Amino acid sequence: MGDNRAAFERFCELFYTERRVADAFAFLVADDYRQHNPSIVDGPAAAIEMLTPKFDGSPDARFDIQRILVDGDLAMVHVKASRPGAPDAAVADIYRFDGGRIVEHWDVLQQVPVHAAHDHPMF
């Protein structure tokens, strides 16, 4: 489990903070990567093609990691996504490991509201 945590933290640094999508995928994602996002087909190449413009291609975008959770073969990162021209979003990306590589991904996204019922929404 400790190995998954260290590897996942490095993956998150490459992917979300440094926005080096292809490098992050080459580092940790398996060739038989299964994607549960309904707008991206399976396999790392499709994810890299779809996500690179959102990450590498947007110099003013920010993806601030709020927390990382790792439990055995499952890992989750909670991110505040900020991109020019779009409302901020809360993102939870969930990954499954097998053999030390990421083999599966789910995501949950929610727009940050303009007005909240309290002073501590989303993050």
Side-chain angles (χ1 to χ4, degrees), residues 10 13-16 18-25 55-56:
R10 179 65 182 137
E13 179 72 20
L14 288 167
F15 185 70
Y16 300 97
E18 297 178 17
R19 298 176 306 157
R20 294 167 38 202
V21 176
D23 290 342
F25 273 68
F55 285 79
D56 293 349

Side-chain angles (χ1 to χ4, degrees), residues 46-78:
I48 292 167
E49 182 180 340
M50 180 72 107
L51 297 170
T52 294
K54 294 179 181 184
F55 285 79
D56 293 349
S58 297
D60 295 326
R62 293 185 50 89
F63 301 91
D64 298 316
I65 296 170
Q66 304 297 304
R67 57 198 47 85
I68 291 174
L69 306 171
V70 179
D71 183 14
D73 68 343
L74 295 174
M76 190 214 55
V77 59
H78 181 208

Side-chain angles (χ1 to χ4, degrees), residues 2-3 14 17 21 27-28 41 44 47-48 60 62-63 71 81 83 88 90-91 94-95 98-99 109-110:
D3 291 341
L14 288 167
T17 304
V21 176
F27 170 68
L28 198 59
V41 299
I48 292 167
D60 295 326
R62 293 185 50 89
F63 301 91
D71 183 14
R83 295 184 320 168
D88 287 352
V91 181
I94 304 164
Y95 299 90
D98 186 29
L109 293 89
Q110 183 178 11

Side-chain angles (χ1 to χ4, degrees), residues 31-52:
D31 290 339
D32 60 348
Y33 177 70
R34 187 170 186 185
Q35 177 64 258
H36 294 280
N37 181 312
S39 64
I40 306 174
V41 299
D42 290 341
I48 292 167
E49 182 180 340
M50 180 72 107
L51 297 170
T52 294

